[in-house]
Each structure stands twice: as structure tokens, then as C-alpha cells.
């Protein structure tokens, strides 16, 4: 019998590793990330409690590498879930890396895995509360319109250049602020891309959705706390639940979203943010 596979990009750390732990007894796991050492450590830990783990070192921003990986992985079994958590943030890199990895990664992953996803399969992308930063402010409506037009050109060769031009010429952000905005608009794109893919996934009885985490204690978030304690404090003060999220909480959410019980959930973003995104948008009841 062919193996059932769950492909998890970013499966060597943080939220991807938590998803791997939660999915470990459902299918064989195929963990993808750039760094082989972290991947090997994740495999060792997951195998210690019985998981079947295959490693596939991969840079999700490299279109050809993702295409090749998808073709190779498809030979190993039926790909029933693709969980694309791989991403970077201003806490660990700059504007161009963020655009290359967070914007192009989801496109490469969806384009490579959509045609070979098993019928009834699930694809989950990772957004962020940062992807909501432009939504609740009426004064940002013109920016949203420009961005939506840029998003529509995701197949065009100048797609990345148009984002650089948006940051430098349209919003005229100083360089120091461009990484943060690049992160927000790349995560907002993830939601757009899910909405834009829902029909074609449904035509193969597959689902696509995204999860937008708030602040979860992973190496990425730990870097923010260490490098930018004032931002971390500001973030905490805006979280009604007054704590960081535990990666396990995202793992369990993703496990549910991949299950038959979530079979009617598709084409949407699931916000898992401790209440922070919308608490400030209306007057709170005493
Ligand atoms: N933690 C949070 O609070 C939070 C909040 C909102 C959104 N998110 C989103 O959730 C996702 C996971 O974040 P995390 O906190 O789990 O981060 P993390 O602990 O830093 O893990 C990121 C994972 O992605 C991999 N990765 C990074 N760039 C890659 C690339 N180009 N190709 C393949 N793999 C790559 C990393 O491994 P290598 O470096 O070895 O490649 C690592 O396995 C990200 O998309 C992030 O933006 C996280």
C-alpha cells in the first residue's frame, strides 16, 4: 500500500515542528527546510515517539527546487496534506529575503503541489496577524487597492519588483521600516492567494486555507523578544489573553483543519491570535 504523506515546510522548527508533532500519528511526515542539522534533529525527536519521518532539504523560495521536490516526494506516496509554514520575519532577516521567501514561497509551493495533491487533500499556508495590519483602517483603503492590483500580477516576472517599488516609491518608507511592511504585505498576500485558489482546489475536491498566528513562542518570536523587547512588550499589552501562544496550540488547530471534521472549511484564513487583531476595533464591554 502506498504511504499517505503530510509535507511540512518549515517542519524543523517552531510552528512547523509543532504541526509535525500533532500530525505524527496520522501519516508519514515529509519535513522540508533549508538547514539539514535542524531537520535531522527534528526527525530524531519525532521518531523517538514512533513517527515515520522523511527529510527533504529545500529552499521554498527556489521555484525549480520546489518543483523538483514535489515530483520526487510524489514518488514516495500519496500527498494528502501540504502545510507550508516556512517563513522568515524582520526579527531574523531583511526586506528582500522576506519578499523572496514569504511572497514567492507560497506561490511556488501551491503551484508545485496543487497538481499532485491527492483528491480530498488539504493545503494550509501560513499568514500572520501582520497580514491584517492594513484592514481595519479606512485611511489605508487606497493602499489596499494598489496592493490588490499588484497581487493580481502574481504570475508576472516583475511581481517582486512591483513590491519593492510599492515600498520605496508608493509608501516611501525609509529603509529601516521596509522589512516590517514587507512582512505585512507578504502575509496579507497569503490570504489573497487562498481566496484566489479556492475554486480550483474545490474542482479536485481539495481544500486550501491559511492560518494566521498571533504571537507564539517559537525561535522566530524569541528573536523578536531578544532583539526588540519594546516591540514585544507592546505586542503583549495588546493581547487580551495576556500570554504568548504555545506552538502546540497551532499544531492542534492544523491537525483539526486537516481532518474530515473540517471538511467544509476552505478558502478562508483562520486567525489564531489570542484576541489581539480585533479587540481594538470596537469599544470593549466592561
Ligand atoms: N511565531 C509566531 O509568533 C508567528 C506569528 C505570525 C506568523 N508566523 C508565521 O508562522 C510561520 C512559522 O514561524 P515560526 O515562528 O515557526 O518560525 P521559526 O521557528 O523561525 O521556523 C521557521 C521554519 O521555516 C524554515 N524556513 C525558513 N525559510 C525557509 C526557506 N526559504 N525554505 C524552506 N524553509 C525555510 C526554517 O528552517 P531553515 O531556516 O533551516 O530553512 C524553520 O524550519 C512563518 O511563516 C511565520 O511568518 C509566526
Amino acid at each position: 500500500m502506498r504511504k499517505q504523506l503530510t509535507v511540512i515546510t518549515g517542519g524543523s522548527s517552531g510552528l512547523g515542528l509543532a504541526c509535525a508533532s500533532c500530525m505524527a500519528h496520522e501519516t508519514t511526515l515529509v519535513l522540508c527546510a533549508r538547514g539539514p542539522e535542524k531537520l535531522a534533529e527534528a526527525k530524531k525527536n519525532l521518531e523517538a515517539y514512533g513517527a515515520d519521518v522523511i527529510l527533504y532539504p529545500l529552499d521554498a523560495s527556489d521555484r525549480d527546487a520546489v518543483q523538483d521536490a514535489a515530483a520526487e516526494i510524489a514518488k514516495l506516496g500519496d500527498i494528502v496534506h501540504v502545510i507550508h509554514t516556512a517563513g522568515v520575519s524582520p526579527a531574523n532577516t531583511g526586506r528582500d529575503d522576506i519578499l523572496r521567501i514569504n511572497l514567492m514561497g507560497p506561490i511556488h509551493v501551491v503551484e508545485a503541489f496543487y497538481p499532485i495533491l491527492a483528491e480530498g487533500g488539504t493545503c494550509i499556508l501560513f499568514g500572520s496577524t501582520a497580514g491584517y495590519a492594513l484592514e481595519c483602517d479606512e485611511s489605508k483603503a487606497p493602499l489596499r487597492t494598489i496592493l490588490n492590483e499588484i497581487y493580481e500580477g502574481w504570475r508576472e516576472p516583475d511581481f517582486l519588483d512591483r513590491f519593492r517599488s510599492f515600498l520605496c516609491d508608493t509608501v516611501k518608507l525609509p529603509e529601516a521600516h521596509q522589512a516590517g511592511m514587507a512582512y505585512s504585505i507578504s502575509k496579507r498576500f497569503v490570504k489573497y492567494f487562498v481566496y484566489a485558489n479556492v475554486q480550483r482546489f474545490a474542482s479536485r475536491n481539495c481544500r486550501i486555507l491559511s492560518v494566521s498566528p498571533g504571537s507564539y513562542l517559537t525561535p522566530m518570536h524569541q528573536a523578536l523578544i531578544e532583539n526588540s523587547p519594546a516591540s514585544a512588550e507592546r505586542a503583549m499589552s495588546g493581547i487580551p489573553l495576556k500570554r504568548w501562544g504555545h506552538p502546540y496550540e497551532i499544531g492542534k488547530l492544523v491537525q483539526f483543519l486537516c481532518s474530515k471534521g473540517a471538511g467544509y472549511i476552505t478558502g478562508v484564513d483562520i486567525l489564531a491570535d489570542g484576541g489581539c487583531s480585533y479587540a481594538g476595533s470596537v469599544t470593549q464591554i466592561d
Side-chain angles (χ1 to χ4, degrees), residues 10-16 32-35 38 58-61 85-88 92 101 126-128 183 187 213-216 218-221:
S12 64
S13 174
L15 303 182
C32 306
R34 294 166 302 181
K38 272 195 297 175
L58 175 68
D59 181 346
S61 70
T85 78
V88 288
N92 50 26
I101 298 171
F126 267 62
S128 165
Y183 187 74
K187 292 302 188 180
S215 300
Y216 286 77
T218 65
M220 178 186 283
H221 190 62

